[in-house]
Amino acid sequence: MERQRLYNERVVAQPGQVRGANVVGPPAGHDWADNLLKTVAGAGSDFMRVIAHDYVRNENSLMQEALISADTKFESWKQDYMKEHQGQSALDAQRDFVRKYGEIRQETMDMFQGHDNEIFRQRLDQSLGLRALHALQTGGAYQEQQDAAWQKSVFDGTLANFQKDVQASPANEQYIAARRAEVVQDMQTRFKGEDLTARIAKLDEQIAEGRMNALLAAGDYDGAEKLLGGSGTAPAASSGGVPGSFTSSGGGTTSSRNLSVHNYGNVKNIDGRFNAYASRHDGLMAIAERVKRYHEDPKRRAQSISDIIHIYAPKEDSNDPKGYAAFLGKRLGISPTAQLNFNDPKMVAGLVQGIAAMEHGAKKVSVGDDEALAAAQAVASGQMPKVVGRAPAKGEAAGTQPGTLAGTSSLPGLSPEKAMAFRHRIDMIRKSQQAELRAGMEMSLADYVAAALDGKAGDLPFTREQVVAGYGDKADKVWAQVTEAKQLSSDISRMNDSDAATIGGMLRAADPAGEGYAMQRGFQAKRQEAARAILEARQKDPSGYLMNRNKTLQAAYNAMLQNPTPEAVNTYLAGLKADADLLKLGDVPIFPKDQAKAFAGAIMSVPNVGTKLKELRVAFGRFWPKAMQELCVKDGLPVSAQLAANNMPEEAARLLMEGAKDKEFQKKSFELHADIKKTEFDAEVNKQMGEFNATLLGGGDQSVATEVNNAVATLALQYVNRQNLDYRDAIRKAAHDVILDRYTINSVNGGSFRVPTSLDGDAIERGAGKALEELAAKSSDLYAVDYQHLGEHAPKMYGSMLRATGRWQTAGDESGLVLFMGNSVVRDKDGKPITRTWAELDKLSKDWQEREERQGAALEDIYEEGA
């Protein structure tokens, strides 16, 4: 500290003079420390010399530390930057490096803002400036390096897409030539100043090898040999109207000239001329191919209609891209800026139709849905449109359009060495094919015939030419067998979608005529066998057959089982009915064979069966009676389940189904309550249920009455066990909970019938009485074969007996009443049972009441007048 004070007094405070020496201002040059030392030495003071040496050493150390810190900060930032910024994101590296070192330079200088030696600050700033210049150079070098890498990466993507195009359509030389020119032009743009000879040579080699490999991979050995033979150009121009020439004139509008050569999208080639395509299909494919190319091109990456149209019909060509995109968006019902699903052929087909209509007018060009979809699917599968030249220019004579695009004749070929290697490869392939073809065909033929017997044989496994190559003089016989198998498969497939009468007609039509058709008779026997199997399957398990035939119906059935909502049930049953109607199967079961038992088991396994049954009743709606009929089979749902679902109190339904699950429940309960005698218990049940059972037994429903009594007994024992009720009270409560609370018992002529409590039982009873009177009065309309021997007196006698002994019985589906006489159903002349719905009976009662009221009012009027 003392030395620093002395230095400040003698050197810093008086910078122009040091005692004993003449010093004028700051030392010149960069080595100011040397000058300072010399000046101090001249002063002749050992003490001052020591101070100067120490001070200079401290300043140098301080500056070195500052520079090292700045370099360390920049180096750390540079490493992070290079990790995060590569390729396209590093194209501003030079600017970023300079900016960052500028920040570090400023931070470092700010650290010495109060430093008392200005010369030190100047020297530090100069050193930092040199380092900033180095940062500028480093950033520029990194930017150039990453730009080159990015350009190469993008170009490699372009080259990869081009190679895919070559492999997808190796025989389309015109297209390949046009795409090659685009790639070369891109190469020239990206690698300016570079000698491209080696790059182009490598590109040409890749094109040639790619074409050969693609042809060989596709099995087009003839095409590969043609390419090896040097036929690297398209057919020469001619005037015969074949591909390679056009006979259309150069007159008319651009639209008409382009339409004459199938250019529906006004698509141009690389030299700016309109393309000519081999067919209408190729012309539509050209539009789809451009859409695909604009989307997959890494430089363009078109995602929406607007993106595509700004490339397809740019404003620079006097187009209105915004209006064009709006037109297409309206046609497709899509926002022009919405992201499209380019994997959807239907969407691409819509663009094909819209672009053709926009380019030429909807009145000139009408593209059907099927042909647009076919074009989109072809391009999606990797096919390319066949370009056969260019459209005629205005005023150009007919038949002069060349059959190749510019540059086609200069398509690169293979080197002699590689051509020889490919030729050897083709020879080896052909030899191995000859050996393998026949063995492979025999296996394929056996598999194909087996698939045909199931109606699942698809396209033929090989062509006639392949059969000839493999079987020689036996080819005709083998080919006939293959085509017969295909017809058999088609017929069996049609049988699955046909009714029995149509199947019979198909068998008659396919019956071989005459003798000598052993093979055809063999296939006909298989056809008949398949028909029998189909018809037997429909008869044994119609619902199961329909599901096996229609996987959508199977899915709807599974969805119904998993979540039986009204919507799911209706969806499945509507599909089931539609398929059954198609095959004329009539009313088929809801559940496939044995599936009803499985579903019933699933219902009985849930904790609260009663609640589950009520939910199912709501879900099945009007189909519930039919569903219960199928579910209440042996080892399926007990009849008590149907009762539990019929609006029983929730707790009662739960207890009933708990008891019903245990087949030994009643036996165990009587053992538990030894004081209750089973005979007395059963008698009490019959007593409570007697009036209700009469409504069942009268119609012969003995088994139903037994099941209902059994359900009452089970629930009563539950009440005894759980609520400690007297068994008589338990039986009365159970009878009402199971059934009695949901019906009133009414009678006509001593015959009892039950009426749901949702209806007016008295009104139904009155209506039933009046209906019986009307029927007895018109007994001639009834069918009474037992009394026809009485001649002309039969109707009157039958009417009298009906009036005396006729009785109504509740219909099984509880939709109304059925008329009985004795134990026989009364029928009309057509043999149909005499029935009356609840609504009809209610209306008859109301009509009768109104007549009675009118007659009563009339009598009152008469009495009043008489009085």
Side-chain angles (χ1 to χ4, degrees), residues 624-677:
W624 179 242
K626 181 179 179 181
M628 285 302 294
Q629 185 179 4
E630 295 180 26
L631 293 170
C632 292
V633 294
K634 184 179 180 182
D635 299 327
L637 288 181
V639 172
S640 56
Q642 189 170 2
L643 296 170
N646 191 22
N647 295 322
M648 276 185 65
E650 187 170 345
E651 179 63 14
R654 184 182 68 80
L655 293 174
L656 173 60
M657 294 315 301
E658 280 186 7
K661 285 183 181 181
D662 185 358
K663 294 182 179 179
E664 299 291 320
F665 172 74
Q666 292 191 21
K667 179 180 177 183
K668 295 175 183 176
S669 297
F670 282 117
E671 290 174 354
L672 182 65
H673 302 283
D675 56 320
I676 301 176
K677 295 182 179 179

Side-chain angles (χ1 to χ4, degrees), residues 294-310:
Y294 297 157
H295 171 62
E296 295 180 349
D297 189 330
K299 292 189 297 182
R300 291 164 169 161
R301 287 295 182 195
Q303 300 295 330
S304 64
I305 294 175
S306 182
D307 292 345
I308 292 168
I309 296 306
H310 275 81

Side-chain angles (χ1 to χ4, degrees), residues 555-576:
Y557 175 75
N558 291 336
M560 179 189 75
L561 293 185
Q562 292 171 6
N563 186 20
T565 63
E567 294 77 12
V569 171
N570 288 332
T571 298
Y572 164 66
L573 293 179
L576 184 69

Side-chain angles (χ1 to χ4, degrees), residues 155-165:
F155 179 74
D156 287 347
T158 301
L159 189 60
N161 286 334
F162 175 45
Q163 289 171 342
K164 284 172 58 180
D165 291 344

Side-chain angles (χ1 to χ4, degrees), residues 683-696 705 708-709 712 731 734-736 738-740:
E684 185 64 26
V685 170
N686 288 329
K687 176 183 175 183
Q688 293 295 327
M689 295 300 297
E691 191 176 26
F692 177 84
N693 286 342
T695 70
L696 298 172
V708 172
N709 281 10
V712 170
I731 291 172
H736 281 273
V738 169
I739 202 82
L740 297 184

Side-chain angles (χ1 to χ4, degrees), residues 731-746:
I731 291 172
R732 280 193 292 273
K733 177 176 173 55
H736 281 273
D737 287 345
V738 169
I739 202 82
L740 297 184
D741 281 351
R742 284 178 294 289
Y743 296 98
T744 60
I745 307 301
N746 299 85

